[in-house]
Amino acid sequence: TTDRAAARNLGGPPAAAALLDAATRLAATLPVTPSVAFIRVGDDPASESYVRGKAKKAAELGLHSHVHALPADTTQADLHALIGTLNADHGVHGVLLQLPLPAHLNADAALACIDPRKDVDGLHPVSAGLLWQGQPGLRPCTPAGVMALLDHYQLPVAGQHAVIVGRSALVGRPLAGLLLNADATVTVAHRATPDLGAVTRRADLLIVAAGQAHLITPDMVRPGATVIDVGINRVPTDTGKARLTGDVHPDVAAVAGALTPVPGGVGPMTVAQLMMNTVQAAQNQTAHDQAAQMQADQSNGASG
Ligand code: ADP
């Protein structure tokens, strides 16, 4: 760390609070209480804790949630059957499959079973397609959370050269789509990119989701650039306890114009965006139900 830190600190909590507030206000306009179902398979402690955190946040906002904890030996067919039941349940607006799944299960096949209208994690192929076509749809929570953070701090996106490091289905790829839709010029770098620094130095807006502690050092950042650190790495310390650190070296604060901390940066945005997605899914489904009801009433009237 350095005491020459110049970068503006882009803290997650105030931006997350604003997003949660917007979700709460939207929920209050709906005729139903938004409801989300979490599916978790096996006993991965990290998945358990993530799902607990999401359910707790939903409860804080007055949303309904239910956790379906399936045993580690759950079959693909059992998993698909549960998703099918939740898809058909009009009282459930969102279905979230917590990843990773045990090795014997196919996550992509299971995700594809979720009704796209209930796809609050935004990972269904239809959601990805809508994003890339620039059409409305549910967006993956971490990338959408990054966009909400940029918006909260009024950082410009249109016309900026955004460089993303990482091309995962969860973060890098969807973020590229969101930034394109927001009129940025987008470069995506990844593991096979030679001379990463030459690419990242061209960024006005540098977003790092590579899962590599301190991959981005000060020499790789253009002075004044906005740097968003999506990485959350557990690194061992002298005391033997793990510490959380990002993909961006702390000394980057001396070069960047603005920087998200880890922890306490993008992290809180992900869960806040999930709440917003749940409320939006409920809004879409109630609008859809009302339209279907009106159509049914009309045809009943015509025939009767
Ligand atoms: P996340 O879930 O945070 O997106 P993943 O581990 O799924 O992380 O993806 C890591 C991504 O980061 C991959 O697209 C990979 O190509 C990229 N990446 C990993 N290491 C490097 C590196 N040293 N330089 C550039 N890109 C990297």
Side-chain angles (χ1 to χ4, degrees):
T1 39
T2 172
D3 54 14
R4 292 168 294 124
R8 179 179 178 202
N9 182 53
L10 306 175
L19 185 52
L20 289 170
D21 191 52
T24 305
R25 279 185 282 110
L26 180 57
T29 68
L30 302 182
V32 296
T33 301
S35 167
V36 54
F38 300 108
I39 305 172
R40 181 170 75 61
V41 187
D43 34 37
D44 174 40
S47 292
E48 244 173 276
S49 127
Y50 286 139
V51 168
R52 214 180 308 123
K54 292 169 185 177
K56 183 162 166 260
K57 189 58 75 184
E60 277 172 29
L61 263 64
L63 311 184
H64 288 155
S65 73
H66 192 279
V67 179
H68 299 264
L70 303 181
D73 62 356
T74 297
T75 65
Q76 191 81 29
D78 287 343
L79 180 57
H80 290 193
L82 173 59
I83 293 171
T85 303
L86 296 169
N87 282 345
D89 186 340
H90 280 258
V92 174
H93 305 109
V95 177
L96 182 148
L97 178 61
Q98 181 66 44
L99 303 178
L101 296 178
H104 71 282
L105 293 173
N106 181 338
D108 288 334
L111 288 172
C113 289
I114 297 173
D115 180 339
R117 292 184 309 149
K118 301 192 179 188
D119 177 33
V120 287
D121 238 355
L123 298 178
H124 190 285
V126 165
S127 300
L130 292 170
L131 166 59
W132 279 96
Q133 289 186 336
Q135 294 187 51
L138 292 163
R139 310 303 196 208
C141 296
T142 298
V146 167
M147 299 304 289
L149 183 108
L150 293 170
D151 185 58
H152 178 80
Y153 286 106
Q154 299 185 331
L155 293 159
V157 175
Q160 299 286 294
H161 184 187
V163 175
I164 302 167
V165 182
R167 57 176 162 180
S168 72
L170 215 57
V171 185
R173 278 170 205 259
L175 197 48
L178 288 168
L179 288 163
L180 273 179
N181 292 347
D183 290 335
T185 300
V186 180
T187 298
V188 183
H190 46 78
R191 210 180 293 278
T193 302
D195 196 358
L196 184 62
V199 177
T200 58
R201 270 191 296 275
R202 297 185 54 206
D204 305 310
L205 177 56
L206 178 59
I207 307 183
V208 193
Q212 301 283 320
H214 299 181
L215 174 66
I216 304 300
T217 46
D219 58 298
M220 298 166 77
V221 177
R222 170 191 288 190
T226 293
V227 181
I228 307 292
D229 189 354
V230 187
I232 299 177
N233 308 287
R234 287 182 169 75
V235 295
T237 61
D238 298 343
T239 65
K241 272 182 82 179
R243 185 172 58 84
L244 291 185
T245 192
D247 289 354
V248 176
H249 194 285
D251 286 351
V252 166
V255 180
L259 175 64
T260 58
V262 177
V266 173
M269 300 306 292
T270 299
V271 176
Q273 185 65 48
L274 173 64
M275 299 301 124
M276 181 53 109
N277 281 2
T278 298
V279 177
Q280 284 175 346
Q283 182 186 37
N284 292 341
Q285 283 159 62
T286 49
H288 182 271
D289 286 351
Q290 278 168 355
Q293 188 59 49
M294 269 164 62
Q295 214 160 39
D297 289 350
Q298 266 169 12
S299 55
N300 285 345
S303 66

